[in-house]
Amino acid sequence: YEQGNVVYIDKIEGSHPIRAYTEIGGRAPAYCVATGKALLAHQTEDEIERVLEGLERHSPNTIVAPEAMRLTLAQVRDNRYAINRGEWREQVSGVGAPVWNADDFPIAAIGISGPAARFTEEALVLFVPMVRESAEELSRLMGRT
């Protein structure tokens, strides 16, 4: 997380010929992607409010109403994962979960994304346990108990 954006630092490509593309070092608005929402939800209230003041539409699915985004971020905190339903790129959906350090602060997020045609609502729900468990395992490696 950096100034309202998520920065991609690593990725593993899928084997399907049609996939979602991200570039190492690339950025996306945190409020539009699953990994970003997983991190944004745990920022300070001041930072969240700063981001909510600048919500812009990037696809027909982007959440641009501040109150709706507040509710979304509250759900992320409660559920320990976030979902993107084509909010950054209309044809890309995904699931993300925060990775915590020993000080109980989210320092990264892990996620899975792909074409919305394959990452349907039913498929996203199936990915949630795998993404959350992977994030929890990384958190343990980072010293979180």
Side-chain angles (χ1 to χ4, degrees), residues 73-134:
L73 296 176
Q75 289 174 330
V76 170
R77 286 188 293 274
D78 289 345
N79 296 334
R80 301 185 343 246
Y81 70 90
I83 292 181
N84 160 28
R85 295 174 177 92
E87 297 159 49
W88 170 235
R89 301 292 184 239
E90 185 176 6
Q91 298 301 316
V92 178
S93 297
V95 175
V99 176
W100 303 84
N101 68 11
D103 296 325
D104 222 24
F105 186 78
I107 57 167
I110 187 169
I112 185 168
S113 64
R118 257 195 346 262
F119 281 60
T120 62
E121 197 64 32
E122 295 80 18
L124 290 171
V125 170
L126 293 175
F127 287 127
V128 167
M130 176 181 61
V131 170
R132 278 185 31 188
E133 289 168 15
S134 296

Side-chain angles (χ1 to χ4, degrees), residues 4-6 27-33 36-37 56 58 88:
N5 293 295
V6 63
R27 297 169 180 268
Y31 63 92
C32 291
V33 296
K37 288 192 280 187
E56 296 178 12
H58 296 279
W88 170 235

